[in-house]
Amino acid sequence: MRQPLLLLSLSLAVLLSANVLAQNQIEIQFQTDPVLVQTGAEIVFTVLTVSQVFSMTWQYQGGVTVGQWSGGSQTINTGTQFQDRITITNTQLRIVGAQLRDAGKFTVVVTPTATTGLVTNSRSIQLRVFDAVATVTLLVPSVAVEARNVSLRCTWTGGTDITVRWGKGGAAILADDRITISAGSLVINPARRSDAGEYTCTVSNPISAQTATESLTVYYGPDIPVLTKVSPKECVGGGDVLVGQTVRLTCVSDSLPPALFSWQRDGQPVASVQPDSGVLSLQTFSTDESGPYVCTARNGLTGGTSQQGVDLAIVATCLDVGEVVGIVIGCLLLILIIVLLIVLIVCLARRRRAQQRQSDTSVKTNPNPGPIPPDPQPNGARDLGHGPHPPLYHLNTHTHHPDRIYAAPPESRGNPQTLQLNGARVPAAAAQHAPTPPPVIPLAQFQALPKKQHKSPTRGLQPPRPPVNIPVAQRPGQVQQRHANHHHHPENGTHRHARGHGHPSHFTHPQQHQAPRGRPR
């Protein structure tokens, strides 16, 4: 009898357990997870679940019941550290005056009412309590020198779970081969002048943060000085300053603090009107003051020094660019004038030669020469150039060509009424009244007169013939001979000189184009 009852009880228990497992658990969430609070602040755990809650039980560190809310009232466990600081409602657990030891895990167990058809469920949450950061200070060295070790330190008086962050000019500083960050210190080795600036140190934890700011100055220098020379006149071709003028030497060096300067020449100090300024105004009196001038820059804080020298050349003669340009332009103008004069002279000479050639051509082509007046004196007894009568020999002095000469033969000297024209005797009157004068023939085409003339008994006076213009190259029998400006006459043993008077008249005869006839000598 007992065995059937036992089997019935076991069957009912299994069915009841299966029914419970088949039901859904109540859903539980926390408004903030985890909960972070500052010491002394209020701790609040807020549960998000259904409104039909039968009971809510809070446990600490997984086993100790802190309190319970059920039936609209709370029940507090007096045996915990929260007994005087705890408050429980249907959705919250509140603990005032948070302490560092309060940190830990809290668990809530929620039992819904039977009408919800849900079963009991639980959920845990972590509580973290921090001390707030207080009194953050950044310490920087008062003298930071370039190329040396520089250390910055950040300190604070309160705070737990601290994190330190470094920054410069609003940007974060990260560790590298020159920068080492450890806890609250930052070490720069070696320091550079670019490391100067505003540094920040931020100390923080999850519930608070403070920042300290300080400026770092890195002293450096002096760098190698840069020298400049300023003189009233810039000399071309060497030389810095003219004797008697003042030259200004300026020495500049990058340094912090600013460098102090001094000058030396040949190892001896040179006084300056503005000491330590780097400016040396030197009044020159002699070229012996030329030489190297050395500027020394000194940093009074770092103790560093650097030097730079410059050669100063003092000259007795100094020409600047403008003067040199003026001299060059003057020389070029002089050369140009000389070239123009040479060109002008050459042009004038060519023009004169061209006029002379044109005059020669005009004389050769003159078709109407004037007559030669007869010589009234017999036997050629007078000298040329004396008396009112024209000479026996006539030169064309107008064109300055002595090769055009007309002479009376010896036979006609005793007879002023006849003239010798190309070997023929013609009356002077007939020659003066020729109807058509022949063209001018150059002297080279005339037959030279013999030293001794014999009168031919068979030849008489020949009347003038019309001119025949035959080129010289086509006269095969003509002998070209040039008469000199004076002729020797054996009859009287005197010399007659041909002189031109005004524009001479030239006579030609057709016989002058013929071959010369034989004459007894």
Side-chain angles (χ1 to χ4, degrees), residues 248-455:
R248 181 186 177 97
L249 301 180
T250 303
C251 182
V252 178
S253 176
D254 194 6
S255 176
L256 186 68
L260 304 177
F261 300 94
S262 59
W263 293 89
Q264 300 86 29
R265 177 176 176 267
D266 295 334
Q268 299 299 322
V270 178
S272 176
V273 179
Q274 301 174 348
D276 300 330
S277 65
V279 178
L280 176 63
S281 296
L282 184 63
Q283 175 66 42
T284 60
F285 298 97
S286 172
T287 57
D288 296 336
E289 297 178 272
S290 301
Y293 286 77
V294 178
C295 171
T296 301
R298 178 174 55 87
N299 190 320
L301 181 64
T302 64
T305 60
S306 60
Q307 292 182 341
Q308 183 66 280
V310 61
D311 289 330
L312 182 64
I314 304 173
V315 295
T317 303
C318 178
L319 297 177
D320 59 12
V321 176
E323 293 173 342
V324 172
V325 171
I327 293 174
V328 172
I329 293 176
C331 294
L332 293 177
L333 290 177
L334 180 60
I335 294 174
L336 180 59
I337 292 173
I338 294 174
V339 171
L340 291 177
L341 289 176
I342 294 174
V343 172
L344 181 60
I345 292 172
V346 171
C347 292
L348 291 176
R350 290 183 177 179
R351 182 177 179 182
R352 186 172 181 179
R353 287 196 297 268
Q355 291 178 352
Q356 186 174 1
R357 287 194 298 268
Q358 184 178 3
S359 177
D360 294 344
T361 304
S362 64
V363 171
K364 292 179 181 180
T365 58
N366 186 9
N368 190 17
I372 299 177
D375 189 1
Q377 296 185 7
N379 299 325
R382 70 180 184 278
D383 294 333
L384 294 176
H386 298 278
H389 299 283
L392 295 180
Y393 298 91
H394 196 96
L395 292 178
N396 187 1
T397 58
H398 176 67
T399 56
H400 304 284
H401 291 283
D403 55 348
R404 292 169 176 82
I405 301 175
Y406 301 90
E411 300 86 19
S412 63
R413 290 175 187 173
N415 186 7
Q417 301 299 323
T418 61
L419 291 176
Q420 178 73 23
L421 185 60
N422 284 346
R425 288 187 297 272
V426 295
Q432 293 178 358
H433 299 283
T436 304
V440 178
I441 302 300
L443 180 61
Q445 300 176 9
F446 281 90
Q447 174 67 33
L449 296 178
K451 294 183 180 180
K452 295 182 180 181
Q453 299 291 338
H454 299 277
K455 297 181 180 180

Side-chain angles (χ1 to χ4, degrees), residues 73-87:
S73 63
Q74 65 176 359
T75 302
I76 305 300
N77 186 1
T78 59
T80 65
Q81 61 189 22
F82 308 105
Q83 60 181 352
D84 298 329
R85 299 181 291 131
I86 193 170
T87 300

